[in-house]
Amino acid sequence: MTEPLARRSEALERLSAREFDLLVIGGGIVGAGIASEASRAGLAVALVDRGDFGGATSSASSKLIHGGLRYLRLGDIRLVREAHQERRALMRVVAPHLVRRLPFLLPLYRDGPYRALTVQAGLWLYGTLAGERRGRLVPPARAQQSVPDLRLDQLKGCGLYSDAWTHDSRLCLLNVRAAADRGASVLNYAEATALRIAGGRAAGAEVTDRLGGETVAVNARAVVNATGPWIDRVRRLEDPQARPCARLSKGAHVLVALDQPWSAALTIPHDHVRVSFAVPWEGMLLLGTTDTLYEGDPDEVEATEEDIRQVLSEAVVALAPDLVRREAVRSTFAGLRVLPDTRAATARTKRETMLLEGPAGMLTIAGGKLTTYRRIALEALGALRPDLGLHHLDPEPAPLPGAAGLRAAAERIGASHPQLEPHTRLHLAHLYGFLADEVLAGSEEDPSLLQQLHPDAPDIAAQVVYARTREWACTAEDVFRRRTTLALRGLAPADAERLIA
C-alpha cells in the first residue's frame, strides 16, 4: 500500500517551493519534538524522514515515561529531576490521555542485590525529586494483589513508587501533527541524500521520495540531524571524513499474553545497576529490555532468539514460569539507543543528550530519553538561536492535538457513538483523546468503520482510514504496528493489504 503519488507530489512541491527557517532530518520523537517546538515558536519548518515517522527507536522503546529510578544509583540526580518534571508536564498538560500514571513494584528477594533500607532510602529520594508522594515498602501479599503473577518464593517485600506509561509511536505522531497543524511541511519516506551548502554553511538538503522516486531541493537557514542510529550516516553528508560520534546499544522487548489484569508494573533488579521491566501495556505484558552493544547495520536490528531467551530468563526472576514461557510470546521488537562514544559498558553509560555542530553548521542531536524529548527539543533550538534569530522560546508545556483527560474523551465518544463497546471507547480515548471525533467522523455514512479489526483487539476499521488520510501511513506496517496495536498483539492480519484496501 503506497500513498497516492499525487498527494506526495503536493508535499514535495511544498518542500521545494519556499525557503524554510529550519529543516529537521529525522522524524523520531526528538526530530518531531523539535519540529513541534520550532513551529510553535513561529518558525517555518520542514520535517523529513527516510522511513515512517517514529518508525525506528521511537516505536521500539519500553513505553515508559519515567524519572529513571536506576539513574539514582548512577548518581545522575539532575537527569532524574528533569525527567520527573517532564513526566508531570506530559501527564498533566501535553498529552494526559496518552501518558498515564502507573504504580511500580520493585521486588526484594533474599538473594537479590538490594537491601530493604537501601531501597527505602532510594524511593524516598525518588519521590522527593518527583515532588509527589514518596515510595514505600509493601508486604508480599499486598504486592500480589496488584501483580497476581508475582513470584512469592523468597520474597521479603516490594518497594512501591509511581511512574507512567504511553504509546510511544502515537506520542511521536502527535508531535508531527502539532507541527503540521502550525504550518510545517512534513513528509515520511523522504530521504536526505545530500546537503546543500551555501557560503560554507548547511543550507538545506536534496530530498528523495523513496516511494515515488522524485528528488527536490529543500532550502533552509539551518539544518538539524536528528536521525538517531543513523546520525553518523547523515553527518558524513556534511563531512565525508567524520568519525563516529556515538555507540549503539540494542534494547529488545517481548510481549506475552496476560490472562489476568495487573494494576502495577514490575521493576526487576538484576545487579546494582541493571533492571528489567514487566509492564502491563494495552492488555498484554511488555517485558524487557536488553542493553547490549550493537555494531551491525541499524536497518537490520531485530530481536533475536538469544535476545528473547534473555528477556524471558530475566522476567522469570520475579514471575511465574508459565506466564513467560517461549510459547506465550505474542510479538517482539528491538530498537537502538544512541550513546556517547565512551569506554564505559553500555548499561552504565548515562543517557546524556549530545549536541554536535559540524563544519558547515549542521546541528546533530543524539541521546536522551523518550521522557525528556521536549526538553531536548528546546535545548537544540536554543543552540540554533544565532542562526534562526530566535528571541524567545516558551519553555512552558503546551497541549498536543487532541489532549484531553481520558475520562472526558471516553465520555465524549460514548455520547456520539453509544453503540461502541466500553473497552473500544476507552481504547480510542487513550490513543486519540478528542481527536477521536475525527477518527469516527465517517462512520455515520459507513457503519462498517466501527467494526473491530480483530475479535481479540479493540482497534476498529475507522482507525485504518484515519491512519491513511490524516496520519501519513504508507504501508500496512505503518498502520498495524505504529498507528494501531494489532501487530504488537500478534494479530496483524495476513491479508493486511486487502483489508486496508
PDB file of all heavy atoms in Angstrom, residues 373-403:
ATOM      1  N   TYR A 373      12.021  14.279  25.743  1.00  0.00           N
ATOM      2  CA  TYR A 373      12.158  14.730  24.349  1.00  0.00           C
ATOM      3  C   TYR A 373      11.885  16.219  24.201  1.00  0.00           C
ATOM      4  O   TYR A 373      12.524  16.913  23.398  1.00  0.00           O
ATOM      5  CB  TYR A 373      11.223  13.922  23.438  1.00  0.00           C
ATOM      6  CG  TYR A 373       9.798  14.412  23.428  1.00  0.00           C
ATOM      7  CD1 TYR A 373       9.389  15.430  22.578  1.00  0.00           C
ATOM      8  CD2 TYR A 373       8.856  13.880  24.303  1.00  0.00           C
ATOM      9  CE1 TYR A 373       8.085  15.898  22.595  1.00  0.00           C
ATOM     10  CE2 TYR A 373       7.554  14.338  24.325  1.00  0.00           C
ATOM     11  CZ  TYR A 373       7.174  15.354  23.465  1.00  0.00           C
ATOM     12  OH  TYR A 373       5.883  15.840  23.487  1.00  0.00           O
ATOM     13  N   ARG A 374      10.929  16.744  24.960  1.00  0.00           N
ATOM     14  CA  ARG A 374      10.555  18.156  24.819  1.00  0.00           C
ATOM     15  C   ARG A 374      11.695  19.055  25.285  1.00  0.00           C
ATOM     16  O   ARG A 374      12.004  20.078  24.658  1.00  0.00           O
ATOM     17  CB  ARG A 374       9.282  18.413  25.630  1.00  0.00           C
ATOM     18  CG  ARG A 374       8.512  19.660  25.260  1.00  0.00           C
ATOM     19  CD  ARG A 374       7.315  19.836  26.178  1.00  0.00           C
ATOM     20  NE  ARG A 374       7.744  20.093  27.548  1.00  0.00           N
ATOM     21  CZ  ARG A 374       7.976  21.294  28.043  1.00  0.00           C
ATOM     22  NH1 ARG A 374       7.817  22.367  27.274  1.00  0.00           N
ATOM     23  NH2 ARG A 374       8.366  21.454  29.285  1.00  0.00           N
ATOM     24  N   ARG A 375      12.333  18.667  26.381  1.00  0.00           N
ATOM     25  CA  ARG A 375      13.473  19.439  26.895  1.00  0.00           C
ATOM     26  C   ARG A 375      14.635  19.383  25.903  1.00  0.00           C
ATOM     27  O   ARG A 375      15.337  20.390  25.702  1.00  0.00           O
ATOM     28  CB  ARG A 375      13.893  18.872  28.255  1.00  0.00           C
ATOM     29  CG  ARG A 375      14.941  19.685  28.974  1.00  0.00           C
ATOM     30  CD  ARG A 375      15.274  19.043  30.317  1.00  0.00           C
ATOM     31  NE  ARG A 375      14.159  19.152  31.239  1.00  0.00           N
ATOM     32  CZ  ARG A 375      14.028  20.128  32.142  1.00  0.00           C
ATOM     33  NH1 ARG A 375      14.954  21.082  32.219  1.00  0.00           N
ATOM     34  NH2 ARG A 375      13.005  20.147  32.974  1.00  0.00           N
ATOM     35  N   ILE A 376      14.847  18.227  25.284  1.00  0.00           N
ATOM     36  CA  ILE A 376      15.904  18.102  24.274  1.00  0.00           C
ATOM     37  C   ILE A 376      15.620  19.023  23.100  1.00  0.00           C
ATOM     38  O   ILE A 376      16.517  19.686  22.567  1.00  0.00           O
ATOM     39  CB  ILE A 376      16.021  16.648  23.805  1.00  0.00           C
ATOM     40  CG1 ILE A 376      16.453  15.733  24.960  1.00  0.00           C
ATOM     41  CG2 ILE A 376      17.012  16.517  22.651  1.00  0.00           C
ATOM     42  CD1 ILE A 376      16.315  14.256  24.666  1.00  0.00           C
ATOM     43  N   ALA A 377      14.355  19.075  22.674  1.00  0.00           N
ATOM     44  CA  ALA A 377      13.980  19.934  21.558  1.00  0.00           C
ATOM     45  C   ALA A 377      14.273  21.397  21.874  1.00  0.00           C
ATOM     46  O   ALA A 377      14.818  22.138  21.036  1.00  0.00           O
ATOM     47  CB  ALA A 377      12.497  19.743  21.235  1.00  0.00           C
ATOM     48  N   LEU A 378      13.925  21.838  23.059  1.00  0.00           N
ATOM     49  CA  LEU A 378      14.175  23.225  23.443  1.00  0.00           C
ATOM     50  C   LEU A 378      15.674  23.505  23.539  1.00  0.00           C
ATOM     51  O   LEU A 378      16.139  24.594  23.160  1.00  0.00           O
ATOM     52  CB  LEU A 378      13.494  23.519  24.776  1.00  0.00           C
ATOM     53  CG  LEU A 378      11.958  23.517  24.749  1.00  0.00           C
ATOM     54  CD1 LEU A 378      11.397  23.600  26.162  1.00  0.00           C
ATOM     55  CD2 LEU A 378      11.427  24.667  23.901  1.00  0.00           C
ATOM     56  N   GLU A 379      16.440  22.534  24.020  1.00  0.00           N
ATOM     57  CA  GLU A 379      17.892  22.698  24.094  1.00  0.00           C
ATOM     58  C   GLU A 379      18.493  22.830  22.701  1.00  0.00           C
ATOM     59  O   GLU A 379      19.380  23.667  22.461  1.00  0.00           O
ATOM     60  CB  GLU A 379      18.503  21.507  24.828  1.00  0.00           C
ATOM     61  CG  GLU A 379      20.004  21.602  25.048  1.00  0.00           C
ATOM     62  CD  GLU A 379      20.577  20.396  25.783  1.00  0.00           C
ATOM     63  OE1 GLU A 379      19.795  19.537  26.226  1.00  0.00           O
ATOM     64  OE2 GLU A 379      21.814  20.326  25.900  1.00  0.00           O
ATOM     65  N   ALA A 380      18.016  22.026  21.755  1.00  0.00           N
ATOM     66  CA  ALA A 380      18.511  22.101  20.384  1.00  0.00           C
ATOM     67  C   ALA A 380      18.180  23.447  19.752  1.00  0.00           C
ATOM     68  O   ALA A 380      19.029  24.076  19.101  1.00  0.00           O
ATOM     69  CB  ALA A 380      17.915  20.961  19.556  1.00  0.00           C
ATOM     70  N   LEU A 381      16.955  23.904  19.932  1.00  0.00           N
ATOM     71  CA  LEU A 381      16.568  25.196  19.365  1.00  0.00           C
ATOM     72  C   LEU A 381      17.343  26.331  20.026  1.00  0.00           C
ATOM     73  O   LEU A 381      17.684  27.326  19.372  1.00  0.00           O
ATOM     74  CB  LEU A 381      15.068  25.409  19.516  1.00  0.00           C
ATOM     75  CG  LEU A 381      14.198  24.488  18.653  1.00  0.00           C
ATOM     76  CD1 LEU A 381      12.723  24.655  18.993  1.00  0.00           C
ATOM     77  CD2 LEU A 381      14.429  24.750  17.167  1.00  0.00           C
ATOM     78  N   GLY A 382      17.649  26.184  21.316  1.00  0.00           N
ATOM     79  CA  GLY A 382      18.465  27.189  21.982  1.00  0.00           C
ATOM     80  C   GLY A 382      19.839  27.287  21.361  1.00  0.00           C
ATOM     81  O   GLY A 382      20.403  28.382  21.218  1.00  0.00           O
ATOM     82  N   ALA A 383      20.403  26.157  20.960  1.00  0.00           N
ATOM     83  CA  ALA A 383      21.713  26.160  20.321  1.00  0.00           C
ATOM     84  C   ALA A 383      21.673  26.813  18.946  1.00  0.00           C
ATOM     85  O   ALA A 383      22.701  27.272  18.444  1.00  0.00           O
ATOM     86  CB  ALA A 383      22.233  24.724  20.208  1.00  0.00           C
ATOM     87  N   LEU A 384      20.492  26.850  18.329  1.00  0.00           N
ATOM     88  CA  LEU A 384      20.350  27.429  16.982  1.00  0.00           C
ATOM     89  C   LEU A 384      19.890  28.889  17.009  1.00  0.00           C
ATOM     90  O   LEU A 384      19.614  29.460  15.950  1.00  0.00           O
ATOM     91  CB  LEU A 384      19.350  26.599  16.173  1.00  0.00           C
ATOM     92  CG  LEU A 384      19.811  25.191  15.780  1.00  0.00           C
ATOM     93  CD1 LEU A 384      18.649  24.398  15.200  1.00  0.00           C
ATOM     94  CD2 LEU A 384      20.960  25.252  14.792  1.00  0.00           C
ATOM     95  N   ARG A 385      19.775  29.481  18.182  1.00  0.00           N
ATOM     96  CA  ARG A 385      19.286  30.866  18.278  1.00  0.00           C
ATOM     97  C   ARG A 385      20.007  31.827  17.329  1.00  0.00           C
ATOM     98  O   ARG A 385      19.364  32.609  16.623  1.00  0.00           O
ATOM     99  CB  ARG A 385      19.425  31.372  19.719  1.00  0.00           C
ATOM    100  CG  ARG A 385      18.337  30.920  20.668  1.00  0.00           C
ATOM    101  CD  ARG A 385      18.611  31.497  22.058  1.00  0.00           C
ATOM    102  NE  ARG A 385      17.683  31.007  23.043  1.00  0.00           N
ATOM    103  CZ  ARG A 385      16.523  31.563  23.346  1.00  0.00           C
ATOM    104  NH1 ARG A 385      16.143  32.651  22.686  1.00  0.00           N
ATOM    105  NH2 ARG A 385      15.739  31.064  24.279  1.00  0.00           N
ATOM    106  N   PRO A 386      21.353  31.823  17.291  1.00  0.00           N
ATOM    107  CA  PRO A 386      22.032  32.788  16.410  1.00  0.00           C
ATOM    108  C   PRO A 386      21.667  32.603  14.937  1.00  0.00           C
ATOM    109  O   PRO A 386      21.536  33.587  14.197  1.00  0.00           O
ATOM    110  CB  PRO A 386      23.520  32.509  16.655  1.00  0.00           C
ATOM    111  CG  PRO A 386      23.570  31.834  17.988  1.00  0.00           C
ATOM    112  CD  PRO A 386      22.320  31.026  18.069  1.00  0.00           C
ATOM    113  N   ASP A 387      21.527  31.347  14.501  1.00  0.00           N
ATOM    114  CA  ASP A 387      21.230  31.085  13.092  1.00  0.00           C
ATOM    115  C   ASP A 387      19.789  31.432  12.750  1.00  0.00           C
ATOM    116  O   ASP A 387      19.488  31.821  11.615  1.00  0.00           O
ATOM    117  CB  ASP A 387      21.481  29.607  12.766  1.00  0.00           C
ATOM    118  CG  ASP A 387      22.941  29.224  12.936  1.00  0.00           C
ATOM    119  OD1 ASP A 387      23.806  30.013  12.521  1.00  0.00           O
ATOM    120  OD2 ASP A 387      23.200  28.149  13.482  1.00  0.00           O
ATOM    121  N   LEU A 388      18.887  31.262  13.703  1.00  0.00           N
ATOM    122  CA  LEU A 388      17.459  31.423  13.423  1.00  0.00           C
ATOM    123  C   LEU A 388      16.896  32.753  13.895  1.00  0.00           C
ATOM    124  O   LEU A 388      15.732  33.061  13.616  1.00  0.00           O
ATOM    125  CB  LEU A 388      16.682  30.277  14.088  1.00  0.00           C
ATOM    126  CG  LEU A 388      17.025  28.871  13.589  1.00  0.00           C
ATOM    127  CD1 LEU A 388      16.302  27.823  14.424  1.00  0.00           C
ATOM    128  CD2 LEU A 388      16.660  28.727  12.119  1.00  0.00           C
ATOM    129  N   GLY A 389      17.690  33.527  14.630  1.00  0.00           N
ATOM    130  CA  GLY A 389      17.178  34.790  15.148  1.00  0.00           C
ATOM    131  C   GLY A 389      16.048  34.591  16.148  1.00  0.00           C
ATOM    132  O   GLY A 389      15.136  35.423  16.227  1.00  0.00           O
ATOM    133  N   LEU A 390      16.129  33.523  16.897  1.00  0.00           N
ATOM    134  CA  LEU A 390      15.091  33.240  17.892  1.00  0.00           C
ATOM    135  C   LEU A 390      15.297  34.146  19.103  1.00  0.00           C
ATOM    136  O   LEU A 390      16.337  34.101  19.756  1.00  0.00           O
ATOM    137  CB  LEU A 390      15.162  31.785  18.336  1.00  0.00           C
ATOM    138  CG  LEU A 390      14.382  30.755  17.526  1.00  0.00           C
ATOM    139  CD1 LEU A 390      14.690  29.357  18.046  1.00  0.00           C
ATOM    140  CD2 LEU A 390      12.894  31.023  17.604  1.00  0.00           C
ATOM    141  N   HIS A 391      14.293  34.941  19.393  1.00  0.00           N
ATOM    142  CA  HIS A 391      14.395  35.831  20.548  1.00  0.00           C
ATOM    143  C   HIS A 391      13.720  35.260  21.784  1.00  0.00           C
ATOM    144  O   HIS A 391      14.054  35.622  22.899  1.00  0.00           O
ATOM    145  CB  HIS A 391      13.776  37.192  20.206  1.00  0.00           C
ATOM    146  CG  HIS A 391      14.431  37.860  19.040  1.00  0.00           C
ATOM    147  ND1 HIS A 391      15.752  38.286  19.070  1.00  0.00           N
ATOM    148  CD2 HIS A 391      13.965  38.159  17.798  1.00  0.00           C
ATOM    149  CE1 HIS A 391      16.065  38.823  17.896  1.00  0.00           C
ATOM    150  NE2 HIS A 391      15.006  38.754  17.111  1.00  0.00           N
ATOM    151  N   HIS A 392      12.777  34.346  21.575  1.00  0.00           N
ATOM    152  CA  HIS A 392      12.065  33.806  22.727  1.00  0.00           C
ATOM    153  C   HIS A 392      11.622  32.379  22.443  1.00  0.00           C
ATOM    154  O   HIS A 392      11.052  32.091  21.386  1.00  0.00           O
ATOM    155  CB  HIS A 392      10.839  34.665  23.060  1.00  0.00           C
ATOM    156  CG  HIS A 392      10.021  34.109  24.185  1.00  0.00           C
ATOM    157  ND1 HIS A 392      10.472  34.088  25.490  1.00  0.00           N
ATOM    158  CD2 HIS A 392       8.783  33.536  24.199  1.00  0.00           C
ATOM    159  CE1 HIS A 392       9.551  33.532  26.261  1.00  0.00           C
ATOM    160  NE2 HIS A 392       8.524  33.193  25.507  1.00  0.00           N
ATOM    161  N   LEU A 393      11.907  31.507  23.389  1.00  0.00           N
ATOM    162  CA  LEU A 393      11.404  30.137  23.353  1.00  0.00           C
ATOM    163  C   LEU A 393      10.585  29.922  24.616  1.00  0.00           C
ATOM    164  O   LEU A 393      11.073  30.157  25.724  1.00  0.00           O
ATOM    165  CB  LEU A 393      12.565  29.131  23.316  1.00  0.00           C
ATOM    166  CG  LEU A 393      13.161  28.790  21.965  1.00  0.00           C
ATOM    167  CD1 LEU A 393      14.389  27.905  22.156  1.00  0.00           C
ATOM    168  CD2 LEU A 393      12.153  28.094  21.076  1.00  0.00           C
ATOM    169  N   ASP A 394       9.353  29.499  24.447  1.00  0.00           N
ATOM    170  CA  ASP A 394       8.479  29.299  25.595  1.00  0.00           C
ATOM    171  C   ASP A 394       8.722  27.910  26.179  1.00  0.00           C
ATOM    172  O   ASP A 394       8.380  26.902  25.554  1.00  0.00           O
ATOM    173  CB  ASP A 394       7.021  29.447  25.159  1.00  0.00           C
ATOM    174  CG  ASP A 394       6.066  29.415  26.342  1.00  0.00           C
ATOM    175  OD1 ASP A 394       6.539  29.237  27.484  1.00  0.00           O
ATOM    176  OD2 ASP A 394       4.854  29.580  26.127  1.00  0.00           O
ATOM    177  N   PRO A 395       9.292  27.821  27.372  1.00  0.00           N
ATOM    178  CA  PRO A 395       9.566  26.505  27.942  1.00  0.00           C
ATOM    179  C   PRO A 395       8.339  25.837  28.558  1.00  0.00           C
ATOM    180  O   PRO A 395       8.390  24.652  28.900  1.00  0.00           O
ATOM    181  CB  PRO A 395      10.605  26.806  29.022  1.00  0.00           C
ATOM    182  CG  PRO A 395      10.276  28.195  29.471  1.00  0.00           C
ATOM    183  CD  PRO A 395       9.781  28.917  28.245  1.00  0.00           C
ATOM    184  N   GLU A 396       7.261  26.585  28.720  1.00  0.00           N
ATOM    185  CA  GLU A 396       6.071  26.019  29.341  1.00  0.00           C
ATOM    186  C   GLU A 396       5.432  24.977  28.423  1.00  0.00           C
ATOM    187  O   GLU A 396       5.359  25.171  27.205  1.00  0.00           O
ATOM    188  CB  GLU A 396       5.059  27.117  29.663  1.00  0.00           C
ATOM    189  CG  GLU A 396       5.524  28.059  30.753  1.00  0.00           C
ATOM    190  CD  GLU A 396       5.804  27.335  32.052  1.00  0.00           C
ATOM    191  OE1 GLU A 396       4.950  26.531  32.476  1.00  0.00           O
ATOM    192  OE2 GLU A 396       6.888  27.556  32.628  1.00  0.00           O
ATOM    193  N   PRO A 397       4.967  23.867  28.977  1.00  0.00           N
ATOM    194  CA  PRO A 397       4.353  22.828  28.138  1.00  0.00           C
ATOM    195  C   PRO A 397       3.055  23.298  27.514  1.00  0.00           C
ATOM    196  O   PRO A 397       2.294  24.073  28.122  1.00  0.00           O
ATOM    197  CB  PRO A 397       4.121  21.675  29.122  1.00  0.00           C
ATOM    198  CG  PRO A 397       4.037  22.329  30.464  1.00  0.00           C
ATOM    199  CD  PRO A 397       4.970  23.504  30.406  1.00  0.00           C
ATOM    200  N   ALA A 398       2.794  22.849  26.294  1.00  0.00           N
ATOM    201  CA  ALA A 398       1.557  23.180  25.584  1.00  0.00           C
ATOM    202  C   ALA A 398       0.866  21.881  25.174  1.00  0.00           C
ATOM    203  O   ALA A 398       1.531  20.896  24.850  1.00  0.00           O
ATOM    204  CB  ALA A 398       1.859  24.020  24.350  1.00  0.00           C
ATOM    205  N   PRO A 399      -0.458  21.847  25.178  1.00  0.00           N
ATOM    206  CA  PRO A 399      -1.171  20.619  24.817  1.00  0.00           C
ATOM    207  C   PRO A 399      -0.913  20.220  23.366  1.00  0.00           C
ATOM    208  O   PRO A 399      -0.882  21.072  22.468  1.00  0.00           O
ATOM    209  CB  PRO A 399      -2.648  20.984  25.028  1.00  0.00           C
ATOM    210  CG  PRO A 399      -2.636  22.195  25.906  1.00  0.00           C
ATOM    211  CD  PRO A 399      -1.371  22.926  25.577  1.00  0.00           C
ATOM    212  N   LEU A 400      -0.718  18.944  23.142  1.00  0.00           N
ATOM    213  CA  LEU A 400      -0.660  18.410  21.790  1.00  0.00           C
ATOM    214  C   LEU A 400      -2.078  18.258  21.243  1.00  0.00           C
ATOM    215  O   LEU A 400      -3.053  18.279  22.004  1.00  0.00           O
ATOM    216  CB  LEU A 400       0.048  17.058  21.793  1.00  0.00           C
ATOM    217  CG  LEU A 400       1.556  17.094  22.064  1.00  0.00           C
ATOM    218  CD1 LEU A 400       2.116  15.682  22.225  1.00  0.00           C
ATOM    219  CD2 LEU A 400       2.311  17.833  20.962  1.00  0.00           C
ATOM    220  N   PRO A 401      -2.242  18.115  19.932  1.00  0.00           N
ATOM    221  CA  PRO A 401      -3.590  17.968  19.361  1.00  0.00           C
ATOM    222  C   PRO A 401      -4.368  16.830  20.020  1.00  0.00           C
ATOM    223  O   PRO A 401      -3.852  15.730  20.198  1.00  0.00           O
ATOM    224  CB  PRO A 401      -3.303  17.673  17.887  1.00  0.00           C
ATOM    225  CG  PRO A 401      -1.992  18.342  17.617  1.00  0.00           C
ATOM    226  CD  PRO A 401      -1.204  18.172  18.885  1.00  0.00           C
ATOM    227  N   GLY A 402      -5.605  17.123  20.393  1.00  0.00           N
ATOM    228  CA  GLY A 402      -6.474  16.117  20.998  1.00  0.00           C
ATOM    229  C   GLY A 402      -6.285  15.928  22.478  1.00  0.00           C
ATOM    230  O   GLY A 402      -6.996  15.120  23.090  1.00  0.00           O
ATOM    231  N   ALA A 403      -5.336  16.665  23.099  1.00  0.00           N
ATOM    232  CA  ALA A 403      -5.039  16.468  24.514  1.00  0.00           C
ATOM    233  C   ALA A 403      -6.306  16.597  25.345  1.00  0.00           C
ATOM    234  O   ALA A 403      -7.062  17.565  25.223  1.00  0.00           O
ATOM    235  CB  ALA A 403      -3.997  17.485  24.989  1.00  0.00           C
TER     236      ALA A 403
END
